[in-house]
Amino acid sequence: MELPLCDYRQPNAHETGKHVCTHPWTHGGTEMGVDDSFCHNCSFSKTITTLRPQPPTTPSNPGRGDCRHLGGITRKVDCPTCNPAKKIQVAVHSCAVFGECTINKPVPGLACCSGRCQKYQQREKWSYDGPVKRHLLYHVYPSNGQKNRGIWQANVRQLFDSGRFEQFSTAHVAVAVDGNTDSVEDVRQAFADSPIPVAIKEFPNDPGLREVVSHNWLWSQVPKGKNDLTFWGHTKGVTHSVAHKTVHQWARMMYDSMLDYPGIVEDQLRNLACTGAFKKLGAGWNLRESKSQWHYTGSFVWVRNCRLPENWAVIDRFRDGIEPWPSLHFHESEAGFLVKCASIPEMNFYNVQVFRTSIIPAFQQWSGNNQSRKQCAKT
């Protein structure tokens, strides 16, 4: 039976002859398998690739002058084949292989990039050209309910734990307040020991938008330079009870993996646009809410600032809108991950069995494998 093309159909590693359906209006978010007959008759089967960010393209003919060995101009010489009356000169560049070279015009005695240089190596488009600067963007909902009191403070302490805050060059914090929260001054006091100035702005909380409220202000504060990396996070779990062990352990794993290994993050963002701890593949929401086809569960993300498109402010305006935001601007191939990447059914953090038997072991294994690269070590 020939099945219709469908972006929601994923391989099923647990049931022979069945597929995993990630469409949120059918079996999205569950581990229920579907067979060929279900897919053949499904009214939701469709390919929506055109709605997604497309993979970046690589030029088939790299431009001259983009060789990794090419340096700056060292001198100029007279053009040997040009009209002498025009007194045209050719720029001579330093070259890590030949000592000196020209880019387009051959000059006797000098190497030339024009044509087929056997030593040509394309320069990495996104390679850093100086020391990396890291920036913090953070959204705080300082809930002070009886069941969740103290959770937002615990999140903020994670930022300062083991010298983590010292990796940041700038910090901007948004505080969403309402009748169920502590004040912005309480939050300001929580950041009082910061080693750098922290810009704090108050927002009225909107339960229907949550972190979306502060998104545009936060991201407008960071530079878009080639060496700038930004961590976005929020006070995870503040709407849950203190007794909800899973969500708070989930938060700790994100802080640990994303803030204790800055070298790994820097390496990934050398060629990728973003990275996060746990990457989910598939549609996490119905199309009326988001066209996202992948996301970082928990929302924490590192972004290479210079990769942000001009329309970076576009965001899905619903309560979970912050989570799919990276996938609206970056193709899945531009998004890395630190700890684990899997389909939505395999990454259901609210399923206690999945969390205990899959997520925690994956984090423990990753942490163990990368112990030597841990720079913000707990004391």
Side-chain angles (χ1 to χ4, degrees):
M1 179 184 299
E2 184 176 353
L3 300 178
L5 293 174
C6 182
D7 283 336
Y8 301 111
R9 186 167 54 247
Q10 302 290 332
N12 190 329
H14 307 289
E15 295 181 88
T16 303
K18 290 192 175 183
H19 318 282
V20 171
C21 177
T22 62
H23 195 293
W25 297 349
T26 54
H27 299 299
T30 75
E31 298 183 31
M32 184 181 296
V34 297
D35 56 21
D36 288 358
S37 61
F38 181 93
C39 292
H40 185 74
N41 297 313
C42 179
S43 60
F44 294 115
S45 64
K46 64 186 297 187
T47 177
I48 61 168
T49 302
T50 56
L51 301 179
R52 306 181 191 175
Q54 297 302 300
T57 57
T58 301
S60 57
N61 297 308
R64 295 171 182 149
D66 66 346
C67 177
R68 63 177 298 181
H69 303 303
L70 186 69
I73 297 175
T74 58
R75 61 191 176 103
K76 292 185 178 181
V77 298
D78 293 334
C79 175
T81 59
C82 301
N83 186 341
K86 294 185 177 181
K87 299 181 179 181
I88 296 175
Q89 291 192 311
V90 179
V92 179
H93 293 251
S94 63
C95 174
V97 175
F98 298 106
E100 288 186 320
C101 69
T102 61
I103 294 180
N104 295 308
K105 181 68 69 172
V107 173
L110 293 174
C112 183
C113 299
S114 180
R116 294 180 177 272
C117 176
Q118 297 300 312
K119 300 297 184 179
Y120 170 84
Q121 291 184 11
Q122 187 175 11
R123 190 191 309 272
E124 292 181 5
K125 182 178 180 181
W126 302 109
S127 58
Y128 304 112
D129 56 13
V132 164
K133 293 183 179 180
R134 298 177 179 85
H135 308 276
L136 170 67
L137 300 181
Y138 201 66
H139 179 99
V140 177
Y141 178 65
S143 177
N144 64 1
Q146 184 175 355
K147 292 183 178 181
N148 48 31
R149 186 169 296 151
I151 295 178
W152 74 262
Q153 294 93 331
N155 273 264
V156 173
R157 286 195 295 272
Q158 287 283 350
L159 295 176
F160 288 91
D161 190 21
S162 306
R164 289 169 175 168
F165 214 97
E166 296 174 8
Q167 67 187 283
F168 297 112
S169 298
T170 67
H172 292 80
V173 176
V175 184
V177 297
D178 57 26
N180 300 310
T181 66
D182 290 325
S183 71
V184 68
E185 292 305 319
D186 293 321
V187 176
R188 202 180 304 277
Q189 185 60 37
F191 282 89
D193 293 332
S194 167
I196 59 172
V198 179
I200 297 178
K201 184 175 181 178
E202 180 177 346
F203 291 82
N205 183 52
D206 184 339
L209 292 176
R210 302 197 299 180
E211 297 88 1
V212 174
V213 169
S214 65
H215 174 268
N216 287 3
W217 175 75
L218 285 172
W219 282 99
S220 67
Q221 305 304 308
V222 293
K224 306 302 189 291
K226 202 171 185 180
N227 303 317
D228 294 301
L229 312 180
T230 294
F231 170 75
W232 182 97
H234 68 111
T235 46
K236 176 69 177 171
V238 291
T239 59
H240 293 275
S241 166
V242 174
H244 197 303
K245 302 301 183 183
T246 297
V247 73
H248 303 308
Q249 185 171 3
W250 173 6
R252 288 192 295 272
M253 289 191 295
M254 290 194 295
Y255 284 112
D256 288 356
S257 59
M258 297 182 71
L259 296 182
D260 286 350
Y261 304 83
I264 295 179
V265 171
E266 182 176 328
D267 288 346
Q268 287 203 10
L269 296 186
R270 189 178 302 275
N271 292 306
L272 295 172
C274 58
T275 193
F278 303 100
K279 181 180 174 184
K280 280 186 177 182
L281 303 177
W285 299 269
N286 66 62
L287 293 177
R288 290 172 295 187
E289 292 175 326
S290 178
K291 299 171 184 176
S292 170
Q293 290 293 301
W294 67 270
H295 66 276
Y296 294 119
T297 187
S299 303
F300 287 22
V301 64
W302 275 101
V303 172
R304 182 81 182 271
N305 295 15
C306 65
R307 301 288 292 269
L308 286 169
E310 291 184 2
N311 67 337
W312 60 263
V314 172
I315 187 169
D316 295 315
R317 297 190 63 80
F318 74 113
R319 70 186 303 273
D320 295 337
I322 200 69
E323 202 160 26
W325 173 72
S327 68
L328 302 186
H329 301 285
F330 304 123
H331 186 266
E332 188 272 325
S333 64
E334 299 176 275
F337 69 93
L338 296 170
V339 179
K340 184 176 177 64
C341 176
S343 65
I344 287 178
E346 298 175 78
M347 293 274 276
N348 185 352
F349 279 56
Y350 291 103
N351 182 313
V352 176
Q353 182 178 0
V354 171
F355 189 77
R356 289 178 178 174
T357 62
S358 179
I359 306 304
I360 293 178
F363 173 76
Q364 292 172 337
Q365 180 178 1
W366 183 86
S367 300
N369 292 343
N370 292 285
Q371 185 63 34
S372 62
R373 301 199 66 183
K374 189 170 185 176
Q375 292 177 244
C376 299
K378 289 180 170 59
T379 56

